[in-house]
Amino acid sequence: MKVLVPVKRVVDYNVKVRVKSDNTGVDIANVKMSMNPFDEIAVEEATRLKEAGKVTEVVAISAGVTQCQETLRTAMAIGADRGILVETAVELEPLAVAKLLKAIADKEQPQLIILGKQAIDDDSNQTGQMLAALLGWPQATFASKVTLEDGKVTVTREVDGGLETLSLTLPAIVTTDLRLNEPRYVTLPNIMKAKKKTLDVTKPEDLGVDVTPRLKTVKVTEPAKRSAGIIVPDVATLVAKLRTEAKVI
Amino acid sequence: MVALVIAEHDNASLKASTLHTVTAAAQAGGDVHVLVAGSNAGAAATAAAAIAGVSKVIHADAAHFADGLAENVAEQVLAIAAAYSHILAPATAYGKNILPRVAAKLDVAQISEITKVDAPDTFERPIYAGNAIATVQSSDKIKVITVRSTGFDAAAATGGSATVESASAVADSGKSSFVSREVAKSDRPELTAAKIIVSGGRGMGSGEAFKILEPLADKLNAAMGASRAAVDAGFVPNDWQVGQTGKIVAPTLYIAVGISGAIQHLAGMKDSKTIVAINKDPEAPIFSVADYGIVGDLFDVVPQLVAELG
C-alpha cells in the first residue's frame, strides 16, 4: 500500500520574521528555510509505517519554487522513497495545493495521505481537510496516534478538552499534531542516499489545475506591540499592583 | 446579506466559541442564522435561538451528528450553503476540522482565524505565529471564515428570540465512525473561556511540580495552562497547551510561571489584558511582554503569592 506525504518549504521555526517596510508581506530574503515541522512529523509517521511493514511505498510531494527540491530531499533522507515537485512561482493558497494534490492522488492511487495539520507560515490549517473533501475521503485531523489495520485506520486526535478516537475506512486523510512522533535526525549516509532517489518535476498546467490566488493581500503589518512592564521587587508589591493598578483581581 | 454560523455544541449546550463567532458574523454579514447539527440537540438549538442578534436557527438532528464528524457536518452545511453570503465557524478544533471541507466543495478560499472584520469582504488575520497581521480581501461569492474567539466579544447569550426551523438531515457518509473520547474532568474553568489563567512551563521541571500551581489557580478561580515545552515533556496533558499551534487565549490575567517565552508561546497569550511573569532568568523573553515580572525561584514565589492573596 502506498502513502503520499505532502511537504511544504517554510521559514524556519526559529526565525522571527520581519514585516517589509512597504507592508506588502514579510521579508523572507536570505532567511533560513526548512520543512514545515508538522510535515516532518508526517514523513516520519509514514516512514515508521513502512518500517513496520504496513506500507510499501512512501511518496513525498511538494508544490512551489525550485528550491522545494531541497525539502523533498530532506523527506527522502528521512525515509520517503521518491519525490514529486509541482513547480510554480505562484504563491499557492491551500485550495490550490489541495487541487494539485488531488490530481496527483488520482494518478498515484494511494490508500493514505498524511499531511501536517498546519504550516507555520500562513497558519491556515486547511489543506488536509480540503483535500479530503475534494477526494470524497474521510479525515482524521490533529492526530496523536495512528494505527493501520485491514482496510481501516484508527486515529486518536487531539481535540479541545482531551482526546478523541475515530475509525476511518481507507483511503483516508490524516493530519499530524505535535505529539504523533518525534522525527529522527537525518544522518549523512541517508542524505547521500536521498540524492540518488527519483525526483519528478511537473507543473500545475500539466495537472490541469488553475492555481490563481483567490484572496488579495491588501497589506501586511506589524502586530500591536506590547510594551514591557516593570519588574517588581516582591510578591506583596505584585499583589498590590494587580489589585489597585491593573484591577484584575 | 445573511451569514451562517456553524454552532459548536455538545448537544445539550453551546460552547462559548459560538457566541464570539456570532459577533464576527454580525459584523461581516448583517443578518445571522445559526446551524445546529447534532443528535437530540434541541437544547442547543433553543440556546442558539436565545443569542442576541440571531434571527433564525436551523436545527438538523440525526444520530450520525452526535460526535461532530467532519464529513457529516460539512455535508449538512453544504446542503444549505447557497443561501448565504458568509459561512463562519469558531477557529477551535471543531470548526477547523469541518470548515475547510465546506470551502473546498464550494470552490472558495477559506480565511482562517480572523481577528477583525474591516469590511464584508476584508478581514485581518495573524500569520507567522502572530508576528505579522495580514489584511486579506476575498472576491468569492461565499466567504468561508473561521473566527478566533479572542478577537471578538461574546454575543449576549440571552435576549434573542430567533425562530427554530428543522432541516432534514443529510445521510451518514459511512466512511468515518466515532470510537471513543477521553475528556479530562476538571472543576476549573475552560482554558479558552477563563478570566484568569495560571500557566507553567519547562521551568516547572516535572508534572509533580505543577501541583504547586493548583492552590494559586484555586484561589483565583483560574484555568491551568502550559507551554509546549511542558506538554512535550509530558508534565501535563496536550489540551493545556497555549501557543501558535495550541490554544489562543486572552484572559484578563495571565500568570506565566517558569515559561521562558518562545515566540510560539507568546503567539497564544500576548493579547491577554495583564500578564505576570515569574522566572528566575531575568533575560527570559517573557519579561518583554509582561506587565509585571518577578525574578526569582518559582518554588519560593508561588507559595508566597498564594499566602499574600489571603
Side-chain angles (χ1 to χ4, degrees):
Chain A
M1 137 172 183
K2 191 191 285 184
V3 178
L4 299 191
V5 187
V7 294
K8 185 176 185 182
R9 177 176 181 264
V10 298
V11 170
D12 187 80
Y13 191 74
N14 291 310
V15 173
K16 188 166 190 279
V17 296
R18 282 179 202 288
V19 172
K20 287 186 194 166
S21 53
D22 63 359
N23 293 123
T24 56
V26 297
D27 193 357
I28 58 166
N30 305 317
V31 160
K32 187 185 176 202
M33 305 294 283
S34 299
M35 189 190 300
N36 180 44
F38 289 99
D39 303 350
E40 224 177 311
I41 294 170
V43 179
E44 175 68 31
E45 192 65 18
T47 303
R48 288 185 191 186
L49 288 170
K50 190 183 170 193
E51 287 165 350
K54 307 234 175 199
V55 161
T56 50
E57 189 183 27
V58 177
V59 183
I61 303 165
S62 194
V65 295
T66 314
Q67 293 90 322
C68 295
Q69 291 197 17
E70 294 160 19
T71 316
L72 286 169
R73 293 290 172 200
T74 306
M76 290 189 273
I78 295 171
D81 297 292
R82 59 188 170 95
I84 301 172
L85 171 63
V86 185
E87 193 174 328
T88 173
V90 177
E91 199 166 322
L92 297 170
E93 290 175 353
L95 180 62
V97 176
K99 287 178 178 177
L100 293 171
L101 294 173
K102 176 181 187 294
I104 291 174
D106 287 344
K107 283 189 186 172
E108 296 278 344
Q109 297 287 314
Q111 286 294 295
L112 186 66
I113 304 179
I114 310 178
L115 307 87
K117 76 165 180 179
Q118 85 190 56
I120 60 166
D121 50 4
D122 62 15
D123 285 331
S124 285
N125 196 331
Q126 298 175 9
T127 308
Q129 297 90 311
M130 285 182 157
L131 178 59
L134 295 178
L135 287 165
W137 292 5
Q139 70 184 43
T141 52
F142 327 143
S144 64
K145 190 172 173 220
V146 175
T147 313
L148 260 182
E149 49 224 310
D150 286 345
K152 280 199 313 191
V153 60
T154 304
V155 180
T156 301
R157 310 176 55 226
E158 299 198 357
V159 295
D160 297 339
L163 298 170
E164 172 182 289
T165 303
L166 301 181
S167 172
L168 314 179
T169 56
L170 297 177
I173 300 280
V174 170
T175 78
T176 63
D177 216 319
L178 292 168
R179 260 69 61 176
L180 180 58
N181 62 49
E182 213 166 300
R184 68 196 66 186
Y185 285 102
V186 291
T187 60
L188 192 59
N190 284 336
I191 292 171
M192 299 312 286
K193 262 190 242 166
K195 288 186 178 164
K196 298 202 178 82
K197 292 182 180 175
T198 310
L199 196 165
D200 294 313
V201 179
T202 180
K203 291 203 164 5
E205 305 86 81
D206 302 335
L207 297 168
V209 176
D210 177 6
V211 294
T212 313
R214 302 294 188 81
L215 298 175
K216 185 179 144 201
T217 299
V218 179
K219 62 178 178 188
V220 174
T221 53
E222 294 262 356
K225 283 246 183 315
R226 264 196 102 91
S227 45
I230 53 165
I231 298 290
V232 294
D234 52 46
V235 168
T237 315
L238 173 66
V239 171
K241 293 258 184 212
L242 289 176
R243 284 205 170 115
T244 58
E245 202 173 84
K247 298 191 174 67
V248 289
I249 56 170
Chain B
M1 283 202 312
V2 186
L4 177 69
V5 169
I6 318 304
E8 179 175 7
H9 62 88
D10 60 6
N11 297 307
S13 62
L14 292 175
K15 300 281 182 192
S17 57
T18 306
L19 301 174
H20 296 271
T21 307
V22 165
T23 300
Q27 291 177 12
D31 213 5
V32 179
H33 293 181
V34 175
L35 171 68
V36 177
S39 173
N40 295 318
T46 306
I51 301 171
V54 173
S55 64
K56 184 158 97 177
V57 173
I58 298 153
H59 177 198
D61 217 282
H64 55 268
F65 290 141
D67 301 294
L69 293 173
E71 296 78 8
N72 293 338
V73 179
E75 274 310 310
Q76 188 67 47
V77 177
L78 288 164
I80 58 170
Y84 296 97
S85 60
H86 297 73
I87 299 176
L88 305 93
T92 55
Y94 178 84
K96 289 175 184 176
N97 191 36
I98 293 166
L99 215 60
R101 286 189 81 103
V102 173
K105 294 292 258 188
L106 293 172
D107 194 27
V108 302
Q110 175 179 303
I111 307 156
S112 292
E113 303 234 7
I114 64 161
T115 50
K116 197 164 173 240
V117 176
D118 288 347
D121 65 350
T122 309
F123 310 92
E124 293 183 18
R125 58 177 303 265
I127 54 175
Y128 288 94
N131 285 305
I133 307 294
T135 303
V136 294
Q137 189 175 24
S138 165
S139 51
D140 285 319
K141 202 168 138 260
I142 303 177
K143 276 78 175 158
V144 174
I145 297 164
T146 62
V147 176
R148 186 174 281 192
S149 291
T150 55
F152 299 88
D153 292 334
T158 55
S161 55
T163 54
V164 180
E165 196 175 274
S166 287
S168 51
V170 296
D172 186 355
S173 83
K175 290 178 176 171
S176 62
S177 58
F178 174 80
V179 178
S180 63
R181 182 173 291 133
E182 288 169 50
V183 176
K185 284 265 172 286
S186 170
D187 297 332
R188 299 188 194 286
E190 217 180 306
L191 197 48
T192 50
K195 289 206 160 46
I196 300 180
I197 295 173
V198 176
S199 228
R202 195 199 304 270
M204 301 302 298
S206 69
E208 191 60 28
F210 266 76
K211 287 202 165 44
I212 197 177
L213 300 182
E214 286 175 5
L216 181 59
D218 287 342
K219 205 133 246 172
L220 296 168
N221 189 27
M224 287 180 69
S227 68
R228 178 185 166 186
V231 175
D232 281 357
F235 298 169
V236 292
N238 62 275
D239 59 300
W240 287 30
Q241 187 187 327
V242 171
Q244 179 188 17
T245 63
K247 292 198 169 74
I248 309 290
V249 299
T252 315
L253 174 61
Y254 188 91
I255 305 180
V257 184
I259 292 177
S260 62
I263 52 174
Q264 291 81 8
H265 184 73
L266 302 186
M269 45 65 81
K270 68 183 164 58
D271 292 327
S272 304
K273 183 166 176 278
T274 299
I275 297 173
V276 170
I278 301 169
N279 204 300
K280 65 179 177 207
D281 174 10
E283 302 298 321
I286 190 78
F287 288 119
S288 70
V289 299
D291 299 282
Y292 305 108
I294 288 197
V295 178
D297 185 338
L298 68 95
F299 296 99
D300 297 331
V301 175
V302 172
Q304 283 174 30
L305 185 53
V306 174
E308 188 70 29
L309 288 166

